[in-house]
């Protein structure tokens, strides 16, 4: 215990420079308070009461402006006296307000949407791309997600993200994502602050996310702000809607594979809710086969079903205080059976796979004072997969029975407190703490075998009988500061302490992003980031389904580490309503893991060295270009990525570098949308990507049961 306290002491002592920095900032701004006032509040949709993210508030007299944060909150510091505020948001009517201000004031705005016209098309963001400080960040409008065709017409958030340059889907048709040379386990997926460890239905063809309830999607592939951490390649921060605060609404969707519905509305003048659900009805088609198998014990069938449910309830006791409870659950359940009988033989084969996700988030948003915004949250997540198989063969009175069960799961409980302070229009400070407790059960497998002829029984249990606990503690601070009329920085640092068993990892992660305005419409950006990842995923397949096995960093498995630098040029053409960008990046990765199936038939997870290659290195680099048109009857984007992606392990490929499995030399994505009239829109997409690198087998090994293993 004393050793742990010593580590914590060193950890917080290491962060003392952050405290000094905050004090200096606070003192430097207090001198100006005698001449300045702060206007702050929320900007909302007048009809639904939903907050508007990235809405713009601008004082036309002092020429100072700001945008709302992820919770619809804005803070603008202006000189005392007369102000003329102009508030705008894409697709909404502008609002203006003139007033004389002598003290800090809270002013909320409600904007009315513009009646839909043929020429109206949703814009990606309110701030032009070339003016944003964070490089590698993209806000994906939910309307863009809805416009991208996907598997049997199901709207797919993850599929929409793959149309961004530098993000690949891996295998055709799947909803996985691979970002700038990383693997699928290096993406932090957040849903209202809940960490999700699995994001797919139907073995990867459909994502878990119901677009009917999603409000905002922020994707970070570089330039990570210090408030995010724990993954090496990307952050996908998804927030859900809060529901209509003024009237009840409902929606029903019916499709080829699944159907769903949504209901939302107010419970009273301070409480509102929203609930959305989806499910498939494939199992309805094979009811006769399953019923026949149950009644006769003969025949065969394959069953599959999935569902997901999102619900959220919000309570706003005052203008400055809001609480919410968000709940998410999703499952995939598949099974198969085949049975046949004859006078002297019997054959029965059955299997069942269940993949389950649960998430619960309780949060509070509070305005402490003018310019000071606080969010506290407590989030719980669980991912679990379970497999059962049974096989019985009887021949001339002699029986052989084999069964197999396995269970793997990970859960986490995360407490976070985030503080946002807006001392002036020239910079904003975000700081906070985040504490997570993890429970890992990488796998508990039981194999049972009975041979009647040999009168032999084996019953073997391998894996972890008890869960492994780990703790991750983070403290961070970042400042978005304007040093010059053309130069703006986002600079920060994140300190992490990871504790598992008798092992501790203490790391500092500096982050810096720079934006230099070369002209009013042209900018240069660059960033440098370090990310550490303490949780690792191994993926294996059962039939068409993939199963994730999450393991923790230990004394023998150090955390993954990624260092990334990128530079880019960005241009906005106001006349054409188009954005142009070109980015180049270089990323180095350390302590990578790679799943390697053991030669033995069993995955003996008691000896983790049998199933993974450790201490790998990686490097990825490339150039990403994009042209985006966001307004007009014809709109869309063209993105092209030229990249290289390599891995190196001491015990793989004779220790030589090799192309990673999801290396894509060329990746071209074209997305287009044409508004025909007020009711109809035509959407089309085109994807062209290089093939996957692979090595041909050069030999085989013959086993006792006449199966062949290639190498």
């Amino acid at each position: 215990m004393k050793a742990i306290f010593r580590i914590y002491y060193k950890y917080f002592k290491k962060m003392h420079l952050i405290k000094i920095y905050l004090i200096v900032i606070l003192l430097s701004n207090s001198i100006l308070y005698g001449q300045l006032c702060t206007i702050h509040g929320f900007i909302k949709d007048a009809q639904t009461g939903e907050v508007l993210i990235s809405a713009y508030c601008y004082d036309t007299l002092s020429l100072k402006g700001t945008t709302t944060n992820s919770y619809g909150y804005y803070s603008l510091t202006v000189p005392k006296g007369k102000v003329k505020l102009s508030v705008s948001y894409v697709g909404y009517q502008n609002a203006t307000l003139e007033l004389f201000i002598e003290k800090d004031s809270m002013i909320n705005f409600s904007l009315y949407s513009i009646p839909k016209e043929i020429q109206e098309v949703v814009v990606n963001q309110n701030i032009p791309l070339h003016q944003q400080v964070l490089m590698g960040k993209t806000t994906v409008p939910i309307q863009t997600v809805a416009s991208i065709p996907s598997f049997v017409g199901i709207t797919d958030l993850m599929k929409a993200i793959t149309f961004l340059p530098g993000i690949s889907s891996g295998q055709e048709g799947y909803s996985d994502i691979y970002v700038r040379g990383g693997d699928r386990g290096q993406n932090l997926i957040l849903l209202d602050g809940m960490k999700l460890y699995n994001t797919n239905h139907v073995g990867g063809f459909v994502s878990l996310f119901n677009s009917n309830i999603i409000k905002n999607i922020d994707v970070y592939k570089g330039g990570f702000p210090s408030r995010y951490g724990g993954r090496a390649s990307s952050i996908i921060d998804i927030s859900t809607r809060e529901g209509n605060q003024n009237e009840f609404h409902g929606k029903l969707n019916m499709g080829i594979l699944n159907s769903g519905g949504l209901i939302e509305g107010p419970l009273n003048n301070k409480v509102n809710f929203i609930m959305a659900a989806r499910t498939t009805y494939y199992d309805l088609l094979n009811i006769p086969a399953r019923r026949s198998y149950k009644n006769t014990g003969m025949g065969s069938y394959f069953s599959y079903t999935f569902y997901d449910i999102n619900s959220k309830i919000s309570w706003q006791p005052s203008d400055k205080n809001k609480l919410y409870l968000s709940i998410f659950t999703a499952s995939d359940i598949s099974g198969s059976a085949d049975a046949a009988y004859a006078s002297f033989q019997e054959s029965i084969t059955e299997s069942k796979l269940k993949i389950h996700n649960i998430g619960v988030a309780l949060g509070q948003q509070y305005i402490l004072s003018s310019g000071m915004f606080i969010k506290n949250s407590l989030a719980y997540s669980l991912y679990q997969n379970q497999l059962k198989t049974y096989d019985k063969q009887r021949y001339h009175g002699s029986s052989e029975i084999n069964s197999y069960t396995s269970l793997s799961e990970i859960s986490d409980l995360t407490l976070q407190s985030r503080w946002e302070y807006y001392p002036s229009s020239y910079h904003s400070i975000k700081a906070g703490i985040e504490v997570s407790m993890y429970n890992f059960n990488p796998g508990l497998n039981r194999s049972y075998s009975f041979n009647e002829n040999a009168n032999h029984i084996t019953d073997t249990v391998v894996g972890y009988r008890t869960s492994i606990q780990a703790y991750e503690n983070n403290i961070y601070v970042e400042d978005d500061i304007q040093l010059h009329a053309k130069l703006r920085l986002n600079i920060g640092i994140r300190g992490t302490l990871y504790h598992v068993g008798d092992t501790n990892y203490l790391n500092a992660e500096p982050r810096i992003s720079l934006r230099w305005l070369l002209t009013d419409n042209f900018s240069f950006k660059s960033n440098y980031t370090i990310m550490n990842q303490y949780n690792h995923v191994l993926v294996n397949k059962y039939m068409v389904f993939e199963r994730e096995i999450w393991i923790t960093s230990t004394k023998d498995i150090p955390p993954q580490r990624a260092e990334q630098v990128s530079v880019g040029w960005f241009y906005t053409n106001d006349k054409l309503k188009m954005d142009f960008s070109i980015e180049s990046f270089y990323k180095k990765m350390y302590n990578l893991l790679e799943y390697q199936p053991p030669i033995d038939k069993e995955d003996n997870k008691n000896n983790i060295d049998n199933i993974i290659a450790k201490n790998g290195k990686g490097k990825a680099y490339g150039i990403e270009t994009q042209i985006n048109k966001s307004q007009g009857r014809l709109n869309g984007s063209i993105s092209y990525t030229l990249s290289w992606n390599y891995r190196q392990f001491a015990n793989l490929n004779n220790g030589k570098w090799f192309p990673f499995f999801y290396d894509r030399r060329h990746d071209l994505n074209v997305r287009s949308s044409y508004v025909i009239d007020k009711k109809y829109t035509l959407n089309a997409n085109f994807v062209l990507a290089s093939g996957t690198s692979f090595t041909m087998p050069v030999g085989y090994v013959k086993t006792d049961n006449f199966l062949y293993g290639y190498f």
Side-chain angles (χ1 to χ4, degrees):
M1 183 63 69
K2 291 182 178 179
I4 295 176
F5 278 119
R6 284 197 297 269
I7 292 170
Y8 273 96
Y9 173 75
K10 293 179 181 179
Y11 173 63
F12 288 106
K13 185 178 180 181
K14 192 174 183 179
M15 305 302 293
H16 74 284
L17 290 177
I18 296 174
K19 299 177 183 178
I20 296 174
Y21 174 74
L22 285 172
I23 293 172
V24 171
I25 293 294
L26 293 172
L27 291 176
S28 63
N29 284 279
S30 63
I31 301 174
L32 303 175
Y33 278 177
Q35 297 80 33
L36 300 176
C37 294
T38 298
I39 303 172
H40 64 110
F42 293 92
I43 301 177
K44 301 182 179 182
D45 183 307
Q47 285 145 332
T48 67
E50 292 271 1
V51 297
L52 300 178
I53 299 172
S54 295
Y56 193 55
C57 182
Y58 181 72
D59 178 22
T60 58
L61 299 181
S62 65
L63 304 181
K64 298 182 183 299
T66 188
T67 58
T68 56
N69 64 9
S70 302
Y71 319 105
Y73 175 76
Y74 78 95
S75 178
L76 180 63
T77 302
V78 295
K80 285 184 177 181
K82 185 178 180 181
V83 296
K84 186 175 182 180
L85 300 178
S86 174
V87 178
S88 61
Y89 189 72
V90 174
Y92 287 76
Q93 300 176 19
N94 291 357
T96 59
L97 177 65
E98 292 188 36
L99 69 158
F100 193 89
I101 185 169
E102 293 184 335
K103 62 179 181 179
D104 295 347
S105 303
M106 183 174 184
I107 301 175
N108 296 324
F109 289 91
S110 295
L111 303 185
Y112 289 89
S113 60
I114 299 173
K116 187 173 182 180
E117 302 291 341
I118 294 178
Q119 293 80 10
E120 179 201 350
V121 176
V122 175
V123 181
N124 281 354
Q125 31 235 334
N126 223 34
I127 305 177
L129 184 64
H130 74 281
Q131 291 186 8
Q132 298 179 45
V133 179
L134 292 174
M135 180 180 172
K137 177 193 174 182
T138 303
T139 298
V140 182
I142 191 61
Q143 293 86 351
T144 298
V145 176
S147 69
I148 295 179
S150 188
F151 182 61
V152 295
I154 300 176
T155 302
D156 196 321
L157 183 153
M158 303 300 284
K159 187 69 64 180
I161 290 174
T162 63
F163 278 79
L164 299 175
I167 301 180
S168 169
S169 61
Q171 303 179 61
E172 179 61 29
Y174 281 72
S175 293
D176 298 323
I177 62 169
Y178 300 83
V179 181
R180 288 185 172 179
D183 58 50
R184 59 187 285 179
Q186 293 180 338
N187 306 308
L188 176 62
I189 315 292
L190 297 172
L191 180 66
D192 284 339
M194 300 173 280
K195 300 174 186 175
L196 299 186
Y197 298 92
N198 170 265
T199 59
N200 298 320
H201 286 306
V202 202
F205 288 97
V206 178
S207 73
L208 290 180
F209 306 106
N210 188 339
S211 62
N212 288 326
I213 201 171
I214 294 173
K215 177 170 63 177
N216 189 71
I217 310 120
D218 286 333
V219 180
Y220 300 83
K221 57 184 178 179
F224 307 106
S226 62
R227 58 186 178 272
Y228 296 109
R231 294 294 186 273
S233 285
S234 76
I235 311 295
I236 301 175
D237 193 355
I238 305 166
S239 57
T240 60
R241 296 171 49 208
E242 297 174 343
N244 196 303
Q245 299 179 15
N246 300 321
E247 56 186 1
F248 283 92
H249 280 284
K251 182 185 292 187
L252 180 65
N253 299 319
M254 298 191 68
I256 298 174
L257 180 67
N258 77 301
S259 293
L262 176 145
I263 186 171
E264 60 179 323
L267 297 178
N268 57 45
N269 61 347
K270 293 186 177 182
V271 180
N272 55 288
F273 78 100
I274 186 170
M275 177 178 289
R278 298 185 302 174
T279 187
T280 183
Y281 31 74
Y282 173 81
D283 271 0
L284 298 178
L285 304 178
N286 58 30
I287 287 178
R290 286 186 290 148
R291 182 176 296 172
S292 175
Y293 182 86
K294 182 178 180 180
N295 294 335
T296 66
M298 297 182 61
S300 63
Y301 72 86
F302 173 78
S303 67
Y304 172 74
T305 186
F306 77 77
Y307 71 84
D308 54 62
I309 302 173
N310 294 81
S311 60
K312 192 173 187 178
I313 185 168
S314 302
W315 174 40
Q316 188 163 0
S318 68
D319 288 342
K320 295 186 176 183
N321 192 16
K322 176 185 287 187
L323 296 95
Y324 69 87
L325 175 65
S326 180
I327 301 175
F328 169 75
T329 181
S331 284
D332 285 65
I333 304 171
S334 64
S336 64
D338 183 86
Y341 297 89
S343 58
F344 57 88
Q345 68 179 25
E346 175 185 4
S347 175
I348 303 175
T349 303
E350 298 176 342
S351 67
K352 184 177 182 179
L353 173 65
K354 180 178 181 180
I355 299 175
H356 192 48
N357 294 271
I358 295 177
V360 180
L362 177 65
Q364 179 197 31
Q365 302 166 15
Y366 186 71
I367 301 175
L368 184 63
S369 63
S370 60
M372 178 71 77
F373 181 86
I374 302 173
K375 182 191 176 184
N376 301 311
S377 64
L378 180 66
Y380 172 78
S381 298
L382 169 69
Y383 167 71
Q384 182 183 82
N385 65 68
Q386 187 174 18
L387 172 65
K388 295 181 180 181
T389 66
Y390 174 83
D391 179 79
K392 179 180 179 181
Q393 303 294 329
R394 181 178 60 83
Y395 186 75
H396 285 290
S398 179
S399 298
E400 182 176 351
I401 298 175
N402 294 281
S403 66
Y404 176 81
T405 62
S406 73
L407 174 68
S408 178
E409 65 182 15
I410 178 176
S411 65
D412 77 78
L413 183 66
T414 299
L415 174 65
Q416 185 183 76
S417 181
R418 179 182 298 178
W419 295 58
E420 299 183 10
Y421 176 51
Y422 304 89
S424 73
S425 300
Y426 297 106
H427 65 107
S428 60
I429 301 170
K430 296 179 176 67
I433 59 172
E434 182 179 327
V435 179
S436 297
M437 181 180 71
Y438 298 96
N439 277 284
F440 296 85
N441 187 346
L444 182 63
N445 306 332
R446 180 183 180 185
S447 299
Y448 173 84
S449 178
F450 168 69
N451 189 308
E452 185 179 21
N453 189 41
N455 194 25
H456 178 70
I457 297 176
T458 60
D459 192 352
T460 306
V461 176
V462 297
Y464 295 88
R465 293 182 178 272
T466 59
S467 61
I468 303 171
Q469 287 192 340
Y471 304 88
E472 183 177 354
N473 306 278
N474 301 276
I475 183 171
Y476 65 86
V477 62
E478 68 178 81
D479 189 4
D480 192 301
I481 183 169
Q482 183 171 324
L483 300 178
H484 184 269
K486 296 182 180 295
L487 178 62
R488 196 171 184 98
L489 297 177
N490 183 287
I491 186 169
I493 188 169
R494 184 181 182 92
T496 65
L497 172 64
Y498 193 82
H499 173 74
V500 55
D502 58 355
T503 303
N504 297 279
Y505 291 101
L506 182 64
N507 290 296
E509 302 173 358
R511 320 276 178 83
I512 182 169
S513 295
L514 174 151
R515 185 222 62 197
W516 180 269
L517 285 176
L518 303 175
T519 68
D520 290 342
N521 295 83
F522 185 56
S523 68
F524 168 79
K525 302 180 188 180
S526 65
N527 67 61
Y528 174 75
T529 61
I530 293 179
M531 302 281 276
N532 289 281
Q533 178 169 336
Y534 302 93
N535 304 336
H536 319 271
V537 67
L538 306 174
V539 181
N540 59 11
K541 282 194 172 184
Y542 172 73
M543 300 176 64
V544 298
F545 300 95
E546 293 184 328
R547 304 167 60 215
E548 290 93 348
I549 300 172
W550 286 87
I551 60 176
T552 179
S553 294
T554 62
K555 182 179 181 180
D556 299 320
I557 304 177
Q560 300 178 52
R561 183 179 178 88
E563 299 179 12
Q564 182 178 176
V565 60
S566 56
V567 297
W569 291 262
F570 302 82
Y571 173 70
T572 300
N573 189 302
D574 295 328
K575 185 176 181 180
L576 298 176
K577 304 297 182 183
M578 297 177 69
D579 292 320
F580 302 84
S581 66
I582 179 169
E583 301 180 44
S584 61
F585 71 93
Y586 184 84
K587 179 161 69 172
K588 296 182 70 175
M589 295 166 280
Y590 305 92
N591 302 323
L592 301 177
L593 302 182
E594 188 67 38
Y595 179 75
Q596 52 180 11
I599 297 176
D600 200 324
K601 189 167 71 173
E602 292 290 345
D603 284 350
N604 186 354
K605 297 178 182 63
N606 281 326
N607 186 358
I608 202 73
D609 292 324
N610 288 345
I611 62 171
I612 63 172
K614 298 185 297 184
N615 301 316
K617 298 179 181 179
K619 58 183 178 182
Y621 49 91
I623 299 175
E624 304 166 358
T625 61
Q626 185 177 42
I627 302 174
N628 185 62
K629 186 177 186 297
S630 54
Q631 293 189 36
R633 300 184 70 168
L634 176 63
N635 67 95
S637 64
I638 301 174
S639 64
Y640 170 70
T641 303
L642 173 66
S643 62
W644 290 260
N645 185 2
Y646 296 99
R647 298 288 171 96
Q648 187 263 333
F649 291 84
N651 55 341
L652 295 179
N653 195 40
N654 297 317
K656 299 178 181 178
W657 288 88
F658 60 89
F660 184 45
F661 182 72
Y662 295 114
D663 175 55
R664 293 286 186 269
R665 188 72 69 251
H666 305 278
D667 198 346
L668 174 67
N669 291 276
V670 181
R671 177 183 60 84
S672 61
S673 178
Y674 182 75
V675 181
I676 300 174
D677 56 30
K678 294 182 180 180
K679 293 183 178 180
Y680 298 99
T681 302
L682 179 64
N683 301 302
N685 304 315
F686 175 78
V687 177
L688 177 65
S690 301
T692 301
S693 302
F694 72 100
T695 302
M696 292 288 292
V698 296
Y700 63 88
V701 174
K702 189 174 181 181
T703 61
D704 293 338
N705 58 355
F706 302 102
L707 298 177
Y708 295 87
Y710 293 92
F711 61 90

